[in-house]
Amino acid sequence: MNQIIVILAGILWLSPIAAGRIFFVENAKERGIDFIQVNGSPQKDYIVEAKGAGVAIADLNGDGWDDIYLVNGATLKGKSIDPAPRNQLYLNQGDGSFRNATEESGLGDAGFGTGAYFADVDRDGDLDCYLTNYGPNQLYLNDGQMHFSAAVNAGGAQNAGWSTGAAFADINGDGFLDLYVGQYAEFSTEIADRMGTYASYHGEMMFIGPSSYKPANDNLFINNGDGTFRDETQKRGINSFATGRAFTVFFTDLDDDGDLDIYAANDTTCNNLYENNGQGYFEDIALLAGAGLSDGGKEQGGMGAAVRDVDGDLDLDIAVSNYHKEYNILYRNDGMLQFVDATFVKGVGQGTSPMVSFGMLLEDFNNDSWPDMFVSAGHVYPKADELTFLDGYAQKNAFFINQGDGFFQNATDAMGPAGELKGVSRGSAASDFDRDGDLDIVINNLDGEPFFLENRSEVGRWIQVAIQDERGMPAYGARIIVETKLRKQMAELYSSASFLSQSSATLHFGLGEADRVVRIWIRWPDGKEKEMIDAAVNQRLVIRKP
Amino acid sequence: MLRGKAWIFPVMLLCLFSDGAAADPDAASLEKYLANARLEESRHHYSESMSWYEKALQLAPDEADLHVGVARQLIGMEKLEEAFESLNRAVQLNPKHAEAQSMLGIYFQKIRNDFDSAEKHFQLAIQADPHYVRPQNLLGEYYFSLQRLEDAREVYERLCQNAPDAYEGHFGLGSVLVKQNENESAVRELETAIQLAPDEPDPHRILGQALAKLGRREEAQEALKKYQELKKAQNDLTQLLRRVRRNPDVADNWFQLGGFYFKHRKERKSIDALRRGLELAPDRAAIYGLIGVLHLHLKKADLAEPCLRKAIQLDPDNPEHYNNLGVCCMLQRDYPSAADAFKKCMELGSKDPRVLNNYQSVLKKLEEEKTP
């Protein structure tokens, strides 16, 4: 056991040995999730109304069952609806149902929300909540009893404008989580109105698209050591080369050199890849690395992103969801910070051209030990239903099964009833909510009810690992290798996911037919490593940094 | 590596029916229909263009070129399935129609994700016309996207041989060579591509990657900066072109496009765009003034003068127009008019020392001319 504190927190589950068919069922309402997302006007006069929001997963009350926090938008230009849209927290009751705990938690923020991220920013052993908004961001501090109160000026990370993705990690090694915040564009309804509000798109008047708005600078906030932040964006090299219209951002060690780099998926602008020089200072090398554009040199409409080793070569690949008539791109990591657009080699492009893709998850949903791809989609123009060459406003989400070795097969039509669902889907997040050994999915839909996709697939064996810091909080940026006799899997724990979202802090690994885990290796963000030899399958482990 | 709108093709001049047009009324009509179709197509008026092509097809239903013309308009209107039918009809009539085969390849690649069919049509297009750059480039891009680097390299090497002045071949080959880690060779090809198409951003980007792999980091950063600069200009231009396409009746859209071309020293394009705007808003003195200056840049003082005089007529109190007119007259050795213009410029309050210098130079010239 190597002196690791290992808590057997999960239940043993007798799964079928071999991975079988995929089967998802939507049952949000039946589980008590009665959220309705409101994102401005239904007709979408402004771009900010069309982009939608994410969903965050975290175990807020520490009962071992992941809870759901759904981000709401708001109305614009003095319009109001009753009741006003607010973010909503649903506590997992452990019996398959959820209970609305928004009021008691104090997390019913009424800002024009885009994303939500839980992290222990003040290092007091509980999860705080950082909200990105169109408008001032908010930081809610947890009193340890799951009562949240707004921090003044969001602890110095308030930032007006249109914030989108955010990510937490300790980049200067002081033990406190620093914060990267993506900014979309210099947008306001006044700016839009000055340009005429609408533009003609194939004869239909639609809101003015992204290219008309100047990209806004992202921010890097350094934690002062007390849960407040100072802005060191410029000092640390952020925005020095190119500014993009950021959506989803990650801290991730793309070159496996032990420090965390930054990746930002940007809309209609080159993505950013900031290489960390080991001291917490960054240089944007996306173009040099081949991870900024498509191989054709196109600045794609990057929305969501996922980072995972999809081909089993123990380095991290990047998938980015994009706009319609493009394709969801897979940047294969070839080492030495060199990426290749492997979309068509790996089958990821199949059938995605009509989709406006947002959420992007790379997780092993069928427990065959290879991460699959789930893409949530929906157009940005309500009038897409009237334009025959578009694929409609509400769209099907897409599911790609990893065939092994990182080759994907579009299996949307084979995923059961959930494969037929259409929604104007945006952020998505994954967790084994019912702790039955497979990953379920929650999707936040624009101007509608969310989807809860319960995974009822016939799945193989699995293991789940919650990597924690000394105080039992998620160790964002930690790296893990899970090894069986059949293969090794590598992953990192991120505070961000998909599209403006956050997935479970418990990492899930399908194991296929492996009957034992022969080795688990973990590297915490400060470089400390631990190894665990031999573990049973079908269990949930909590591994805390000693 | 697709650049721009892959489906929008340059207008091909169809001169098939011009001989004997005067004698044959059908041929004359056909020629007229085609001219109208091409004109509307060049203005991105797809629907109008298509109606002319359809009229032409009534006279020559078996002409593959006309079906391809219809297909182009349908593509412009995003009626892709109908375009597909027209292209099929074209290749039935003429299986060696390179453009039709090439467009079918794009259709299968981009719309149907049917890469085998796409490859087949690109190959047929190349067989039909080995010097036709587009299908070779598309086939190279197709192989490149599938990481079939040896196949892509073969296509691009052949393209470089068949059309050595085509930027696409050198850029494509350079891109493949970077992937194959033949970076010295890649740099050579990419530098050739840059010479052939200095405004294309992508060769600079790939050049940056090649230089970085060779350890020439500073040069790589310079190449990437150049890429960004060109890319921004390309994006800006795309925006402006989109605006004039969507709202061609808004004069300011044309003026902004003209201003962009002016800034990037594309004088003739600038003049064309500004004149299109003036057709809609003919009382804009500053635009006449700018066109005048552009003609001066092109050393066409005779064309500049009427523009500058029109600017003065519309805005008689602006000293800048008089200064420009003065320079224009100087260049035409019309020193008396130049002196009048500079003098008026100063009377209107210009303190620019260059105006005074010019005025004094002109006076000196006038004195010299008086000397026997």
Side-chain angles (χ1 to χ4, degrees):
Chain A
M1 285 286 170
N2 238 350
Q3 297 180 342
I4 300 174
I5 300 169
V6 178
I7 304 163
L8 184 61
I11 54 170
L12 292 174
W13 184 264
L14 297 174
S15 304
I17 286 178
R21 69 175 183 145
I22 294 291
F23 197 82
F24 283 88
V25 177
E26 198 289 313
N27 52 25
K29 268 189 185 164
E30 292 86 329
R31 290 172 180 274
I33 302 168
D34 55 1
F35 177 76
I36 295 179
Q37 214 267 355
V38 176
N39 222 66
S41 66
Q43 74 274 14
K44 306 302 168 204
D45 299 314
Y46 302 101
I47 187 171
V48 71
E49 298 177 305
K51 294 297 187 179
V55 52
I57 308 301
D59 178 11
L60 290 179
N61 54 1
D63 63 355
W65 297 83
D66 274 337
D67 310 307
I68 298 171
Y69 186 65
L70 286 152
V71 180
N72 219 330
T75 52
L76 291 175
K77 298 183 84 171
K79 290 177 186 163
S80 63
I81 55 171
D82 187 27
R86 289 176 181 277
N87 300 347
Q88 299 288 316
L89 172 65
Y90 293 90
L91 288 185
N92 190 336
Q93 303 197 95
D95 59 359
S97 70
F98 289 80
R99 176 175 70 80
N100 192 321
T102 308
E103 285 305 314
E104 68 198 64
S105 67
L107 279 178
D109 190 86
F112 199 122
T114 56
Y117 308 87
F118 289 96
D120 182 10
V121 301
D122 51 5
R123 215 172 137 89
D124 63 352
D126 55 39
L127 288 171
D128 310 300
C129 179
Y130 184 73
L131 299 177
T132 50
N133 287 326
Y134 167 56
N137 299 332
Q138 296 293 344
L139 172 64
Y140 284 90
L141 296 173
N142 189 340
D143 68 357
Q145 303 299 313
M146 215 190 66
H147 300 132
F148 291 83
S149 53
V152 176
N153 191 28
Q158 190 166 56
N159 208 352
W162 182 357
S163 300
T164 49
F168 284 100
D170 175 15
I171 60 147
N172 57 356
D174 65 355
F176 283 83
L177 292 172
D178 308 303
L179 171 63
Y180 188 93
V181 182
Q183 301 286 328
Y184 188 72
E186 293 182 6
F187 164 85
S188 71
T189 55
E190 291 75 19
I191 292 172
D193 290 343
R194 279 202 294 275
M195 290 193 286
T197 312
Y198 308 103
S200 174
Y201 180 76
H202 296 277
E204 296 282 350
M205 296 308 284
M206 314 281 202
F207 63 79
I208 293 169
S211 303
S212 298
Y213 301 102
K214 191 179 170 195
N217 284 340
D218 295 350
N219 293 102
L220 178 58
F221 295 106
I222 301 299
N223 198 317
N224 290 321
D226 57 2
T228 66
F229 297 90
R230 63 184 182 276
D231 190 333
E232 292 197 358
T233 303
Q234 195 175 358
K235 180 179 171 184
R236 290 181 183 265
I238 305 302
N239 308 313
S240 56
F241 189 70
T243 303
R245 297 182 190 91
F247 271 127
T248 304
V249 300
F250 286 86
F251 280 111
T252 171
D253 185 2
L254 291 169
D255 50 359
D256 192 20
D257 63 352
D259 56 40
L260 292 165
D261 312 299
I262 298 168
Y263 191 78
N266 294 331
D267 189 8
T268 58
T269 38
C270 183
N271 301 320
N272 300 115
L273 195 171
Y274 290 104
E275 182 185 11
N276 189 333
N277 72 350
Q279 307 295 316
Y281 291 79
F282 297 88
E283 182 184 5
D284 187 352
I285 59 153
L287 288 173
L288 289 178
L293 309 169
S294 71
D295 243 351
K298 185 170 167 49
E299 295 170 321
Q300 295 182 301
M303 312 285 191
V307 182
R308 190 80 181 235
D309 174 19
V310 299
D311 48 9
D313 59 357
L314 299 182
D315 56 29
L316 292 164
D317 310 297
I318 304 167
V320 178
S321 57
N322 287 314
Y323 196 59
H324 80 137
K325 287 194 193 170
E326 299 175 346
Y327 52 84
N328 295 328
I329 196 166
L330 179 67
Y331 295 108
R332 186 187 70 210
N333 192 336
D334 278 1
M336 307 288 285
L337 281 176
Q338 288 295 307
F339 290 82
V340 170
D341 176 353
T343 304
F344 292 102
V345 188
K346 295 296 185 183
V348 172
Q350 300 163 6
T352 61
S353 175
M355 298 167 62
V356 178
S357 300
F358 280 89
M360 169 64 74
L361 295 170
L362 287 170
E363 300 282 358
D364 185 0
F365 292 103
N366 61 354
N367 286 357
D368 67 350
S369 81
W370 294 94
D372 311 301
M373 176 183 286
F374 180 81
V375 181
S376 48
H379 214 286
V380 294
Y381 295 132
K383 286 183 182 172
D385 285 333
E386 297 162 28
L387 296 172
T388 52
F389 59 89
L390 297 179
D391 204 31
Y393 188 39
Q395 299 183 334
K396 278 186 183 182
N397 299 317
F399 187 77
F400 289 79
I401 291 183
N402 191 331
Q403 304 286 292
D405 206 17
F407 187 85
F408 290 83
Q409 179 73 39
N410 191 333
T412 306
D413 292 336
M415 68 183 290
E420 297 301 315
L421 278 176
K422 283 188 173 182
V424 189
S425 296
R426 298 296 187 252
S428 59
S431 167
D432 182 7
F433 290 105
D434 47 9
R435 292 178 56 169
D436 62 352
D438 55 38
L439 286 172
D440 313 299
I441 302 168
V442 176
I443 302 161
N444 198 351
N445 288 322
L446 189 82
D447 291 336
E449 300 166 352
F451 293 152
F452 185 105
L453 305 188
E454 180 191 345
N455 190 343
R456 292 187 189 169
S457 308
E458 294 169 5
V459 297
R461 293 173 174 134
W462 53 276
I463 193 164
Q464 295 170 353
V465 185
I467 310 170
Q468 299 182 341
D469 66 14
E470 304 91 328
R471 295 168 315 289
M473 293 289 98
Y476 295 128
R479 175 173 287 221
I480 179 170
I481 293 176
V482 172
E483 184 177 350
T484 66
K485 282 181 183 169
L486 302 176
R487 62 182 296 256
K488 290 179 185 176
Q489 297 181 62
M490 187 269 283
E492 287 182 340
L493 178 61
Y494 302 123
S495 63
S496 51
S498 180
F499 173 73
L500 316 182
S501 296
Q502 182 178 45
S503 282
S504 174
T506 300
L507 291 169
H508 175 95
F509 298 89
L511 300 175
E513 297 183 4
D515 56 1
R516 299 293 294 178
V517 173
V518 298
R519 175 176 169 261
I520 295 174
W521 169 89
I522 292 173
R523 183 178 69 204
W524 275 266
D526 64 358
K528 289 198 175 73
E529 297 179 13
K530 287 293 174 187
E531 192 175 49
M532 174 182 175
I533 305 296
D534 192 37
V537 299
N538 297 350
Q539 66 166 323
R540 178 179 285 207
L541 298 175
V542 177
I543 301 182
R544 188 178 291 190
K545 188 178 166 193
Chain B
M1 281 178 285
L2 280 177
R3 285 164 292 280
K5 282 205 161 189
W7 281 91
I8 307 299
F9 285 75
V11 182
M12 293 186 72
L13 296 174
L14 303 176
C15 303
L16 303 170
F17 307 104
S18 55
D19 290 346
D24 181 346
D26 273 1
S29 298
L30 199 52
E31 195 173 348
K32 185 181 123 193
Y33 296 157
L34 279 174
N36 288 338
R38 290 195 296 264
L39 179 67
E40 296 296 347
E41 186 173 6
S42 70
R43 293 176 168 175
H44 306 285
H45 294 165
Y46 305 117
S47 174
E48 292 83 348
S49 176
M50 195 168 90
S51 67
W52 288 113
Y53 275 118
E54 282 173 337
K55 281 185 182 179
L57 270 173
Q58 284 173 4
L59 296 176
D62 292 335
E63 182 49 56
D65 270 323
L66 297 178
H67 290 281
V68 175
V70 168
R72 280 198 306 267
Q73 312 322 307
L74 288 165
I75 291 162
M77 293 185 281
E78 307 220 13
K79 295 180 177 176
L80 303 182
E81 293 306 319
E82 292 173 55
F84 176 62
E85 293 305 318
S86 288
L87 291 171
N88 271 330
R89 180 81 184 122
V91 296
Q92 279 168 9
L93 291 164
N94 178 9
K96 292 189 175 178
H97 197 291
E99 187 186 1
Q101 295 289 7
S102 180
M103 289 167 78
L104 279 169
I106 298 171
Y107 173 84
F108 280 109
Q109 183 183 6
K110 301 287 178 189
I111 308 301
R112 293 266 181 99
N113 287 328
D114 178 351
F115 298 111
D116 292 341
S117 296
E119 185 178 11
K120 183 187 85 181
H121 284 286
F122 291 144
Q123 295 280 19
L124 286 169
I126 295 166
Q127 282 169 24
D129 181 359
H131 296 282
Y132 187 18
V133 172
R134 187 161 188 83
Q136 296 181 73
N137 189 37
L138 288 165
L139 185 62
E141 288 175 348
Y142 161 71
Y143 288 141
F144 189 86
S145 72
L146 294 176
Q147 307 294 310
R148 288 168 59 180
L149 298 180
E150 280 304 322
D151 290 333
R153 181 172 180 160
E154 191 183 325
V155 168
Y156 285 125
E157 283 175 342
R158 197 170 56 217
L159 177 54
C160 288
Q161 282 173 0
N162 288 341
D165 292 337
Y167 137 88
E168 289 88 343
H170 299 283
F171 171 59
L173 184 55
S175 301
V176 172
L177 290 168
V178 172
K179 296 276 183 194
Q180 294 182 321
N181 262 324
E182 295 184 35
N183 295 303
E184 296 279 8
S185 304
V187 168
R188 280 196 296 277
E189 293 299 331
L190 293 163
E191 285 176 345
T192 305
I194 289 166
Q195 279 175 8
L196 291 168
D199 292 340
E200 282 291 339
D202 280 325
H204 295 274
R205 175 173 62 89
I206 306 297
L207 178 64
Q209 291 177 357
L211 291 167
K213 285 185 173 184
L214 289 167
R216 294 156 65 179
R217 189 86 175 187
E218 283 186 16
E219 290 171 83
Q221 292 293 3
E222 281 305 307
L224 293 180
K225 276 185 191 158
K226 187 68 183 173
Y227 161 78
Q228 280 195 310
E229 181 189 310
L230 292 171
K231 189 72 184 175
K232 183 180 180 312
Q234 195 180 62
N235 287 345
D236 290 348
L237 179 60
T238 302
Q239 282 286 314
L240 292 167
L241 289 171
R242 188 179 292 157
R243 273 188 220 161
V244 297
R245 209 157 46 233
R246 286 180 178 171
N247 296 301
D249 298 332
V250 177
D252 279 345
N253 289 344
W254 290 104
F255 294 149
Q256 284 171 19
L257 180 62
F260 173 89
Y261 284 133
F262 173 70
K263 189 177 156 191
H264 290 85
R265 297 173 180 272
K266 311 268 186 202
E267 286 88 355
R268 287 182 204 285
K269 286 187 173 184
S270 179
I271 290 169
D272 289 345
L274 295 171
R275 284 210 178 278
R276 289 290 298 270
L278 281 177
E279 287 172 16
L280 299 161
D283 57 348
R284 301 285 277 271
I287 303 300
Y288 283 106
L290 184 53
I291 294 175
V293 170
L294 284 160
H295 281 306
L296 290 178
H297 283 189
L298 292 168
K299 303 192 189 321
K300 298 280 186 188
D302 55 330
L303 297 177
E305 186 173 342
C307 298
L308 295 168
R309 290 198 182 281
K310 181 75 177 174
I312 288 170
Q313 182 194 332
L314 291 168
D315 183 12
D317 297 329
N318 189 332
E320 195 179 324
H321 299 320
Y322 288 98
N323 179 46
N324 292 334
L325 180 63
V327 172
C328 180
C329 293
M330 267 177 85
L331 291 170
Q332 295 180 95
R333 299 176 186 279
D334 178 1
Y335 298 120
S337 298
D340 288 346
F342 288 131
K343 188 177 173 196
K344 183 72 177 172
C345 179
M346 290 184 290
E347 283 171 5
L348 287 169
S350 175
K351 305 286 184 206
D352 189 332
R354 288 171 297 183
V355 178
L356 180 60
N357 281 347
N358 282 338
Y359 181 57
Q360 289 169 342
S361 298
V362 169
L363 291 179
K364 197 172 164 191
K365 288 279 184 192
L366 285 169
E367 282 301 313
E368 286 169 6
E369 281 183 357
K370 280 182 196 167
T371 308

